[in-house]
Each structure stands twice: as structure tokens, then as C-alpha cells.
Amino acid sequence: MAESPIDSESTRPATEPSAAGRRRSPVTREAVLQAALEIVDRDGVEGMSMRRLADAVGRDPMVIYRHVSNKAAVLDGVAEIVFAQLSVDAGAPDWTSQLRVVARDFRRLALTYPKVVPLLVTRPLATPLGLRSRAVLRPLEDMLALLTRAGFSGADALHVYRAFFGFLFGHILNELQEIVENPEETDGVLRLGLYRLPISEFPLLRELAPVLDAYDGTAELERGLDILLTGLAANLSSDDPGRR
């Protein structure tokens, strides 16, 4: 039997406004982007369309276009919302400790919005630096301030920023895409499907199966930061013993 409108409305979560309620609410750019974030977070980037976004806001698509010019602008806005939640304390006394805090916060955001991560990695690069939103540029500006205050030159600070976020993006993509072939198996070779590889050709990979199988995102992040930050500090301070 078809579900009646009353039954359908009564089964909505208490926190989800009805279509009628959304139509009564004013439409703002922030509301449109928040609805887009919810769609991407639930269905991925491929699930976001202007029609679905208009339905989520409870308006005709033409109303949506008054606030965002096209789908690309929507995706940029979704990345903007998440980046706005990431902050760098430019006045922190220890730059390495602050970067560890930023890395942990970024990982937390990525795990909160895993389907948004591809936008965080790609959308800023699709826009010239001077045209990116302030929310996207703020971590860059504050990190440059943190590092130059610690004694690095502007060029070296930019190098640290690029290496740091390059590492973070790679770590997050690796962690989120880690796939186990046979979750019910207890042997790493079987769980990861490494039994398919000839042991004569891939002896080291097969040998490391227990380590690969025991992947821990938190521990992997910390170990990577140890290597990255220690190397950057040693390399960039070699010509200036007084630099932190």
C-alpha cells in the first residue's frame, strides 16, 4: 500500500525540516551550501546535482542560481565550509607542535566528511590562488605567519606548507581508500588478497602482510609527522643554528 503524505511526514527525523518548512525559510548562500554538503556527505560528489540541491532546499532551481552560479561553484562552496572548520594558531610558540594539532584536526574533519575529501584535495587547485575563498586561504596565511614568526624565510615557510599538506592529503586518501578483500580472514595475506601475488616476485610485500593488515590511521599519521617535521626542521635550519 502506498505511503500517505501524513505517514511520510511523521517518519521524518525530528531534526530534518519538511519541504514546506524549508520553503518558508529564507534561502541564503550559506543554506544552499549546507544542503549541498549534506548531499555530498551522504551520496558523494557524483550524487550532487543542481536539481537535487533545489529539492533539498525546497525551491525552484532558478532560486538556487541566484546564490551559486553553477555546480562548480557549489562544489567550491562545500570545500569552503569544511576548510572554514580548520584553524591554525599563528601565534603558537612551537611550530612543530602546532602543525601536529592541525594535522590531527584535518584528519578528524576528513573522517567526519569522508566523501567530501576529494573536493578538499582538488577544488582549491581548480581556482587561481587570488580567486579562492578566504576560508580556503586562511590556513595558508596563518601557517605562513606561524613559520615566519618562528624564523623561517617566506620561501621556506611556503615550502613547509606545501610539503605538510601534500603529506596530509596523501595520508587521508590512503587511509580512506584502504580496502580489505576478505574481512573475515585472520591471516593478513588472505585478508588483503596478497595470496594472488607470486611470492617469488613480491617476497617483501608478502612478508609485510601482517604490518599492512594492522594499518592504524592514527599511528600512521603520527609516524609520518615524526619523519616529515624532523626532516623539515633539520633541512631548513641547517644554515641557521638559531632557527627553531
Side-chain angles (χ1 to χ4, degrees):
M1 182 174 63
E3 187 181 49
S4 71
I6 294 178
D7 291 337
S8 175
E9 191 70 26
S10 64
T11 58
R12 289 181 181 276
T15 57
E16 180 184 344
S18 65
R22 288 193 294 268
R23 290 190 180 93
R24 286 193 295 269
S25 302
V27 177
T28 63
R29 179 176 182 272
E30 291 72 21
V32 169
L33 295 181
Q34 184 60 43
L37 172 60
E38 292 169 4
I39 292 173
V40 174
D41 188 39
R42 182 179 63 248
D43 302 320
V45 176
E46 63 280 0
M48 221 298 298
S49 68
M50 299 303 281
R51 169 60 66 181
R52 290 194 65 188
L53 181 56
D55 290 343
V57 177
R59 293 295 201 280
D60 183 272
M62 295 310 298
V63 175
I64 302 301
Y65 284 111
R66 296 174 189 169
H67 300 278
V68 285
S69 57
N70 50 40
K71 182 177 177 179
V74 173
L75 298 181
D76 287 340
V78 171
E80 175 186 328
I81 289 178
V82 178
F83 270 117
Q85 300 177 54
L86 183 69
S87 63
V88 179
D89 181 0
D94 185 333
W95 68 274
T96 58
S97 295
Q98 177 58 199
L99 292 195
R100 286 182 183 276
V101 172
V102 173
R104 293 163 189 158
D105 285 348
F106 183 82
R107 178 174 179 266
R108 175 184 54 79
L109 284 171
L111 296 182
T112 301
Y113 305 106
K115 294 182 179 180
V116 179
V117 167
L119 297 181
L120 304 182
V121 176
T122 62
R123 290 312 305 176
L125 299 178
T127 306
L129 195 63
L131 297 179
R132 297 175 195 174
S133 73
R134 294 185 178 183
V136 172
L137 291 175
R138 179 50 53 192
L140 168 57
E141 179 68 21
D142 289 344
M143 187 174 293
L144 293 177
L146 169 72
L147 295 169
T148 54
R149 184 174 286 109
F152 292 102
S153 69
D156 281 349
L158 185 58
H159 176 75
V160 172
Y161 171 86
R162 288 171 173 164
F164 177 73
F165 272 95
F167 161 73
L168 276 186
F169 290 155
H171 169 83
I172 291 300
L173 289 173
N174 185 71
E175 180 173 358
L176 291 178
Q177 294 177 13
E178 193 75 16
I179 298 175
V180 175
E181 181 178 353
N182 299 302
E184 296 182 0
E185 293 287 353
T186 57
D187 181 272
V189 172
L190 298 177
R191 278 173 56 83
L192 300 176
L194 294 176
Y195 63 88
R196 302 175 185 279
L197 304 179
I199 194 169
S200 60
E201 294 183 39
F202 300 94
L204 298 178
L205 196 55
R206 291 279 297 261
E207 181 181 342
L208 287 170
V211 179
L212 292 166
D213 186 39
Y215 182 89
D216 181 326
T218 300
E220 196 75 15
L221 177 70
E222 296 300 330
R223 179 58 178 152
L225 288 171
D226 288 343
I227 296 170
L228 175 67
L229 297 179
T230 299
L232 286 172
N235 180 266
L236 296 176
S237 65
S238 59
D239 60 346
D240 184 356
R243 183 183 293 167
R244 291 182 227 177

